[in-house]
Amino acid sequence: MPGQQAYKQQMRVVASAGAVVALVLAAAFALMLGVDRQVRLSSMQRQASLQAQSTHQLLQQRLDSTRRAMTSVHNQMLQLQQVLGSNPLQPQMLEQMLEQTAERNPEMVDWSVVDDSGQLLAGSRGDPDFYDWAIPANLMGDSALYIGPLQARSDNSWQLPLALRIDAGRWLLARLRGSQMQALVADDLLGAGGVQLLLDRAGLVLADSRGPRLLGRELGYWTQPQADYPQALHGQQVFADEVVRIVAVMQTPQLPLTVVTARARDEALVGWWRYVAGALLIYLIYLIGVAYLLYAIRNAHLQQQRLAREIRAGSAELALANKIGRVSTWTANAQTLHWGHSAAQVFGLDRNSAPLSEVFERVHHLDVSMVRRSWQLAWAGEQPLDLMFRLVFPGGVIRWLSVRGERVADGSGYMTGAAVDVTERVQAQERAREAERQFRILFERNPVPFWLFDLDTLRFLEINQAAVERYGYSRDELLAMTVLDIRPPEDWAELRETISLIQRGVLRESRVRTHQRKDGSLLSVQEQTARLEFAGHDACLVLAVDVTERLAYERDLAYRASHHPETGLLTRRALADTLDMRDRPYAIAHVQLRGLQLVGDTLGQDIGEQVLRTVAARLGGLAGRYGLLAYQPGEDFILAIKGRYDLEHVLEHLAEVVSEPIRGPESFHQLQAHIGVDSCTDNRLPADTVMARAAQAAHAARADGVLIKYYDEAVAQRLTARLHMAARIHSAIEQGEFELYFQPICRASDTQPVMLEALLRWPQADGSSIMPGEFISLAEDTGQMIALGRWVIRAAARAQHALANAGWRDVSVAVNVSAVQFFNDDLVGEFSRACEDAGIPTQALQVELTESSLMRDPERGLQTMQRLHERGIKIALDDFGTGFSSMSYLQHLPLDALKIDRSFVADVETNPRNAAICRALLSLGHSLGLEVIAEGVETEGQRQWLQVHDCDQLQGYLLSRPMSLDDVLQWLATLTARG
């Protein structure tokens, strides 16, 4: 029978195919197992390489840390050498520095300073083999650190020597503990049987992860090219055991050390054997499956015979359905519509026919007229039935149907055709139309310019309205153009390169590019691009955001960050950055203009700014000829002079410019200039350092009272000394190191004390004292004079209280007040609070001022003096006659006494000129109703002359030298006893 023969043929085919597949499967498993074994070994090779690389990086970090530590010591030595100048570093200093370094770096031992032959200069010990290994081949990369060979110690430990050159003939030598290197290779991730070695350039083993097994052994074959290494080695010759390992070696030119990492091969193959067992199991299952398949075919053959009749019965309908392609068939006469069983299943109907009237009632109300008209035309034979409409099924479900058919022409009076459910297709088309509509809205109404262009022809394909408005072209004009037409010609090459990358699938990051409008104006835009298919074109979608204003704002911010807003000159930081980017050499002239800020503070901000702009314009003209100019807010300008100009000539021109008076709206202003100069010829020296040196020289010029001063080491040392002195003054004020001495002022008639002048002293630990002339001006410059003067006032008040308790209540104390304290502090309040705290009347203290300090601001000084006078505090004008005294203001000052300067009292009894001056000053003081005090009385002749000419009070060494308060009290007690 044909069926039986087909069955036998099928069994033979299945059995043959099963055998072939079994062979193929066996070959595939063998191949996969082989590949998997190789992959596992390769993976282990990569792991070993990564571990070697990781250890190499840790080693690099460890040596970098050691190098930084040695470099820090090296820099400290050089800085200390610079401070000492030509004096060499003493061994004791080096020993102390090395001991401190050893405490900070416990991983390093034997810190030493050696010469070129390794002989010890300072520290723990030298190295007789130093000359052999301190060679360029042992340098650590681009650094100056040399790495030596392994060195063993007597306690069976070992060390790695490291060296760093200090200067010609001297080296910094230290030794890294072997435990530090051993810790790097003690990796828990090596697995069972794993080994990691660290070798130097000659192949000497520096560390072994298993312990000291190979430590110190020379394995020179690891120094050969890496291509010669075998990937798997039997460990007997290399690692002193029988384990077969996968080896990775890490070497770099930057580090003269080699890391060897080896993993046990059997460790990688543990999972592979399980994979072999799994493959065998799968193969066995396959064979069982083939046998089962043959068994199932036999059963299927029996079932097939039972179902043959059912299959033949439905074969016609199935053939028609397959031919049309999943289509439900229908037939209709004049009154009824019939459909097949498949249609009932597709649409969920419980019957196979329905009256035409009922069918038309189910048609959607929007489609019913169209369906009726098409049906009538088709029934009349005028045209075939071909329409798509909506049909409402039971339950309100709406489905889209595509119906085709025509009337049978044999006169039987019925129509036939097919119906397809196209609901999903219609819904998909609707979604596509909605997406297109939304895209159109987004594209056309977007305020950001959009366009599409062809990547091959570069012609515009679509343009939105924002692009039309932004670029000034009409839509038709743009659609006739290419993207090159809106780009400057110099950007075309870059545009073509970008398009080429887009065609290759590479999209560049968002960039700012220059575009051109129709009127020729340029704008900066930030482009976002995407590649897509559009109307059959390989196209690119471009979004162009106008960032012209933002970039202009950023440029304005950058300008404001690098330029002073009032003068338009560079800032100090911007000048330094500019000089660092340009060629050397150059010179820096730091100009201090004292009085520039005072103009604005005194005459108003507008005049101050006008004077500032005038100065900037003058110096700017000079900078336009010779270099660059920066302004440092306050009173400083910085002129950078390029190297091709004669420095002396430029400085002469600069001196002329800053010395010329500045005309204001109604006045002239003469500014006091001080110029500091430093030159830069070293490309490694930062401009900020050169500018700082020039500023130091300017401060030195101001202190010396000269116009121009060049920077040198003496200037730096002197400024350093001043800074140290300023710090000492601050500490001395806090710790109460200052003392007051007192010099009596006596009546000329009977030499009885009437007043004590408080004199400031700064005693030192060695018994000496720093005199006021050495620190008063510095205290004024650094702003510490306020605190120091406040302490003097309070100490003087306490001293007067002690005098009152000793019975000398009428003896007042005079306090010298500096100009800084007089004009910058609540002087009246300080004197009042000091007298109140000490329990003495304000009349018990007297203020002494100099003419020069008072003339800084006569009007303000007069106000302060009047407030002091109202509180009852006496005021004396010190060093009278040495300043620019004028009766026009002297007669208005609320003074109580005048002090004749010692320069006029000297030789008054023998020098007619001094005698005439003293007589005039005595007559002037008495005519104003003031007490007159003569300073510097040192001889009996001077005392007698002053007494004869009616001088009121005397002060000087003839009467008494300055004394401490205890000595003053004893001296007064002696006077009391004599009386």
Side-chain angles (χ1 to χ4, degrees):
M1 296 176 62
Q4 188 66 24
Q5 292 177 354
Y7 162 69
K8 293 180 179 180
Q9 180 66 26
Q10 185 179 18
M11 291 292 286
R12 286 195 296 270
V13 170
V14 171
S16 300
V20 171
V21 172
L23 293 175
V24 173
L25 187 61
F29 278 150
L31 179 61
M32 287 188 295
L33 289 173
V35 171
D36 181 72
R37 185 178 186 276
Q38 185 61 35
V39 168
R40 291 176 183 272
L41 295 178
S42 298
S43 176
M44 174 163 283
Q45 177 69 41
R46 288 194 297 272
Q47 291 177 8
S49 298
L50 290 175
Q51 288 174 327
Q53 183 179 2
S54 174
T55 302
H56 192 274
Q57 291 175 352
L58 292 176
L59 177 61
Q60 180 76 42
Q61 293 172 4
R62 167 57 63 194
L63 293 178
D64 282 343
S65 175
T66 303
R67 175 180 57 78
R68 288 192 294 271
M70 297 183 70
T71 302
S72 175
V73 178
H74 167 266
N75 292 338
Q76 291 177 13
M77 290 182 180
L78 293 182
Q79 291 173 1
L80 184 58
Q81 185 65 58
Q82 290 178 358
V83 173
L84 296 177
S86 59
N87 297 324
L89 292 171
Q90 297 300 321
Q92 297 83 354
M93 300 171 67
L94 292 174
E95 293 283 350
Q96 183 179 3
M97 183 179 296
L98 294 175
E99 290 176 0
Q100 295 174 354
T101 303
E103 293 176 358
R104 293 193 303 268
N105 301 275
E107 72 277 9
M108 305 290 290
V109 296
D110 294 338
W111 288 84
S112 308
V113 176
V114 300
D115 60 13
D116 289 335
S117 63
Q119 295 297 319
L120 184 66
L121 299 179
S124 302
R125 64 190 178 113
D127 190 341
D129 299 326
F130 178 77
Y131 182 82
D132 295 329
W133 61 265
I135 58 177
N138 288 332
L139 274 172
M140 177 183 165
D142 297 332
S143 68
L145 184 67
Y146 291 80
I147 303 177
L150 186 70
Q151 295 180 352
R153 292 180 60 90
S154 58
D155 56 355
N156 292 328
S157 65
W158 58 275
Q159 302 165 349
L160 187 68
L162 305 169
L164 185 68
R165 182 182 291 276
I166 300 174
D167 52 22
R170 292 192 303 172
W171 296 74
L172 178 63
L173 178 64
R175 293 173 172 87
L176 180 65
R177 297 181 186 272
S179 57
Q180 298 293 318
M181 307 298 286
Q182 189 67 27
L184 295 177
V185 301
D187 193 346
D188 295 333
L189 300 178
L190 290 173
V195 180
Q196 194 167 60
L197 304 178
L198 179 62
L199 304 92
D200 64 8
R201 191 180 293 278
L204 188 67
V205 179
L206 305 180
D208 185 349
S209 62
R210 302 170 299 176
R213 183 178 300 186
L214 297 177
L215 194 63
R217 179 175 171 181
E218 183 174 352
L219 304 178
Y221 43 80
W222 294 118
T223 63
Q224 300 303 318
Q226 190 167 357
D228 298 338
Y229 299 156
Q231 296 304 308
L233 292 179
H234 195 275
Q236 180 60 35
Q237 297 179 354
V238 180
F239 302 103
D241 56 20
E242 296 293 339
V243 180
V244 177
R245 295 181 174 88
I246 304 297
V247 177
V249 180
M250 181 64 188
Q251 294 177 332
T252 62
Q254 288 76 22
L255 194 63
L257 298 175
T258 301
V259 177
V260 179
T261 301
R263 300 284 301 272
R265 188 179 64 184
D266 289 342
E267 182 183 353
L269 298 179
V270 171
W272 182 77
W273 289 111
R274 291 194 294 269
Y275 191 23
V276 171
L280 293 177
L281 178 60
I282 293 173
Y283 193 75
L284 180 60
I285 292 174
Y286 167 74
L287 296 178
I288 295 173
V290 171
Y292 177 79
L293 178 61
L294 295 173
Y295 173 77
I297 291 174
R298 179 177 177 278
N299 288 338
H301 174 67
L302 297 177
Q303 293 179 2
Q304 184 178 9
Q305 289 178 341
R306 291 194 299 269
L307 297 175
R309 288 185 296 273
E310 296 179 10
I311 293 175
R312 284 192 296 270
S315 60
E317 182 179 350
L318 179 60
L320 182 59
N322 289 336
K323 182 178 180 181
I324 297 176
R326 301 183 66 184
V327 175
S328 300
T329 60
W330 57 267
T331 59
N333 54 31
Q335 292 82 24
T336 307
L337 178 68
H338 301 271
W339 54 86
H341 177 72
S342 60
Q345 292 179 338
V346 170
F347 298 110
L349 302 176
D350 55 0
R351 52 181 175 164
N352 293 330
S353 64
L356 285 176
S357 58
E358 182 179 343
V359 172
F360 286 132
E361 289 177 0
R362 291 288 182 180
V363 176
H364 196 276
H365 68 279
L366 295 178
D367 301 334
V368 65
S369 60
M370 178 267 296
V371 172
R372 284 183 180 275
R373 185 171 58 255
S374 298
W375 180 267
Q376 291 172 357
L377 293 174
W379 186 258
E382 297 181 8
Q383 65 180 26
L385 185 66
D386 187 0
L387 61 124
M388 188 168 63
F389 60 93
R390 285 163 287 186
L391 195 64
V392 180
F393 284 84
V397 177
I398 299 176
R399 308 290 293 180
W400 280 89
L401 298 182
S402 176
V403 177
R404 290 184 178 185
E406 61 182 335
R407 185 169 181 174
V408 179
D410 60 358
S412 58
Y414 71 92
M415 293 178 63
T416 186
V420 181
D421 185 354
V422 293
T423 304
E424 294 182 358
R425 186 179 70 185
V426 171
Q427 290 175 348
Q429 292 174 348
E430 184 64 27
R431 287 194 298 268
R433 284 193 294 269
E434 178 63 20
E436 182 180 359
R437 186 185 67 84
Q438 293 178 357
F439 172 77
R440 280 292 176 184
I441 294 175
L442 176 64
F443 184 83
E444 291 294 340
R445 300 183 184 180
N446 198 304
V448 178
F450 266 102
W451 60 77
L452 281 158
F453 71 92
D454 191 304
L455 285 172
D456 296 325
T457 65
L458 304 186
R459 297 184 67 86
F460 287 105
L461 299 175
E462 190 61 60
I463 300 290
N464 74 343
Q465 185 60 31
V468 172
E469 296 173 355
R470 186 63 53 86
Y471 289 85
Y473 295 96
S474 67
R475 179 181 298 275
D476 292 337
E477 287 176 330
L478 284 171
L479 291 177
M481 296 163 53
T482 69
V483 290
L484 295 175
D485 297 325
I486 63 169
R487 297 289 295 273
E490 57 269 19
D491 293 350
W492 288 1
E494 186 270 340
L495 175 60
R496 287 192 171 95
E497 179 186 354
T498 301
I499 292 174
S500 177
L501 291 175
I502 293 175
Q503 289 175 328
R504 295 198 300 268
V506 179
L507 290 180
R508 282 186 171 178
E509 69 278 5
S510 175
R511 289 187 176 184
V512 175
R513 294 181 169 89
T514 302
H515 285 191
Q516 190 171 11
R517 298 185 181 93
K518 183 176 181 180
D519 60 5
S521 61
L522 302 178
L523 68 158
S524 298
V525 300
Q526 188 164 16
E527 292 184 354
Q528 299 285 349
T529 59
R531 185 181 182 184
L532 47 80
E533 291 288 333
F534 180 79
H537 296 272
D538 185 12
C540 181
L541 175 67
V542 179
L543 179 148
V545 181
D546 188 351
V547 294
T548 306
E549 295 183 0
R550 190 193 76 188
L551 294 180
Y553 177 70
E554 291 176 353
R555 286 192 294 269
D556 182 63
L557 287 181
Y559 178 84
R560 292 174 180 271
S562 60
H563 291 75
H564 186 258
E566 295 179 7
T567 63
L569 298 178
L570 291 172
T571 62
R572 186 182 187 278
R573 180 70 266 165
L575 177 60
D577 293 340
T578 302
L579 293 175
D580 284 336
M581 292 187 294
R582 296 191 177 184
D583 295 335
R584 315 295 173 96
Y586 60 84
I588 296 294
H590 189 105
V591 183
Q592 290 184 350
L593 296 177
R594 296 194 65 184
L596 180 60
Q597 197 166 4
L598 181 62
V599 173
D601 296 341
T602 306
L603 303 179
Q605 189 67 26
D606 293 339
I607 296 179
E609 291 179 358
Q610 182 177 350
V611 171
L612 174 61
R613 286 192 292 269
T614 301
V615 174
R618 289 183 181 180
L619 294 177
L622 197 65
R625 296 174 56 187
Y626 301 115
L628 298 170
L629 181 67
Y631 173 59
Q632 186 170 311
E635 299 179 331
D636 295 348
F637 291 85
I638 305 169
L639 176 63
I641 305 166
K642 295 180 180 179
R644 66 175 181 270
Y645 296 107
D646 180 58
L647 182 58
E648 295 296 333
H649 173 73
V650 177
L651 292 178
E652 289 177 3
H653 197 175
L654 176 61
E656 294 175 1
V657 170
V658 299
S659 300
E660 182 180 352
I662 300 173
R663 179 185 293 274
E666 298 179 356
S667 60
F668 280 93
H669 304 283
Q670 181 65 57
L671 304 178
Q672 184 180 1
H674 300 288
I675 303 173
V677 183
D678 188 34
S679 299
C680 176
T681 58
D682 186 357
N683 289 333
R684 295 172 298 177
L685 191 64
D688 195 63
T689 301
V690 182
M691 294 163 66
R693 290 181 175 181
Q696 293 177 20
H699 286 293
R702 175 179 173 181
D704 296 343
V706 298
L707 177 59
I708 300 176
K709 195 169 189 67
Y710 290 83
Y711 173 83
D712 55 23
E713 292 299 328
V715 169
Q717 292 176 2
R718 186 170 64 177
L719 290 176
T720 301
R722 283 175 60 84
L723 291 176
H724 289 168
M725 177 66 77
R728 290 185 59 195
I729 293 173
H730 180 76
S731 177
I733 296 174
E734 290 185 344
Q735 299 179 10
E737 297 180 8
F738 290 100
E739 294 182 1
L740 281 185
Y741 274 52
F742 302 89
Q743 187 175 26
I745 300 175
C746 304
R747 283 194 298 269
S749 58
D750 55 7
T751 67
Q752 287 298 308
V754 295
M755 188 184 307
L756 300 177
E757 181 179 1
L759 302 173
L760 188 61
R761 295 291 184 269
W762 188 1
Q764 302 300 300
D766 58 0
S768 63
S769 293
I770 301 177
M771 302 307 292
E774 300 181 37
F775 63 84
I776 289 296
S777 62
L778 181 58
E780 291 179 340
D781 292 340
T782 58
Q784 300 184 91
M785 195 62 220
I786 302 297
L788 185 57
R790 187 179 298 120
W791 178 86
V792 171
I793 293 172
R794 294 182 178 274
R798 292 193 295 269
Q800 208 287 327
H801 179 72
L803 291 173
N805 291 339
W808 295 87
R809 186 178 302 277
D810 295 334
V811 176
S812 58
V813 177
V815 179
N816 291 283
V817 176
S818 72
V820 173
Q821 188 179 10
F822 187 71
F823 290 108
N824 294 278
D825 197 15
D826 182 15
L827 188 64
V828 178
E830 284 296 332
F831 270 93
S832 300
R833 286 189 291 271
C835 292
E836 182 179 353
D837 294 343
I840 62 174
T842 56
Q843 294 81 1
L845 295 182
Q846 176 172 298
V847 175
E848 290 194 1
L849 300 171
T850 62
E851 285 185 90
S852 58
S853 64
L854 184 61
M855 288 304 295
R856 292 188 180 184
D857 191 349
E859 183 177 353
R860 184 178 173 190
L862 177 60
Q863 295 176 357
T864 302
M865 293 174 67
Q866 288 175 344
R867 292 175 58 202
L868 289 170
H869 194 267
E870 292 171 358
R871 294 293 182 93
I873 301 172
K874 296 180 180 180
I875 306 173
L877 193 60
D878 198 6
D879 299 337
F880 185 70
T882 60
F884 299 94
S885 304
S886 172
M887 289 298 294
S888 62
Y889 79 88
L890 188 61
Q891 61 181 338
H892 300 295
L893 298 179
L895 297 173
D896 296 286
L898 296 178
K899 298 187 73 173
I900 301 175
D901 188 70
R902 63 179 64 250
S903 61
F904 303 129
V905 175
D907 301 330
V908 67
E909 74 280 17
T910 59
N911 188 331
R913 185 180 181 87
N914 284 0
I917 294 174
C918 285
R919 282 195 298 270
L921 294 177
L922 287 167
S923 175
L924 176 62
H926 290 152
S927 66
L928 295 174
L930 305 177
E931 296 282 340
V932 180
I933 305 170
E935 294 181 306
V937 180
E938 298 181 354
T939 66
E940 183 62 28
Q942 295 170 358
R943 186 192 68 77
Q944 291 177 1
W945 190 95
L946 292 167
Q947 185 178 23
V948 168
H949 289 82
D950 296 328
C951 183
D952 299 301
Q953 298 172 8
L954 307 177
Q955 179 182 359
Y957 284 176
L958 178 66
L959 304 174
S960 175
R961 289 181 174 272
M963 299 174 287
S964 65
L965 181 60
D966 292 339
D967 292 341
V968 168
L969 293 176
Q970 292 180 6
W971 180 73
L972 292 175
T974 303
L975 293 180
T976 303
R978 291 177 182 175

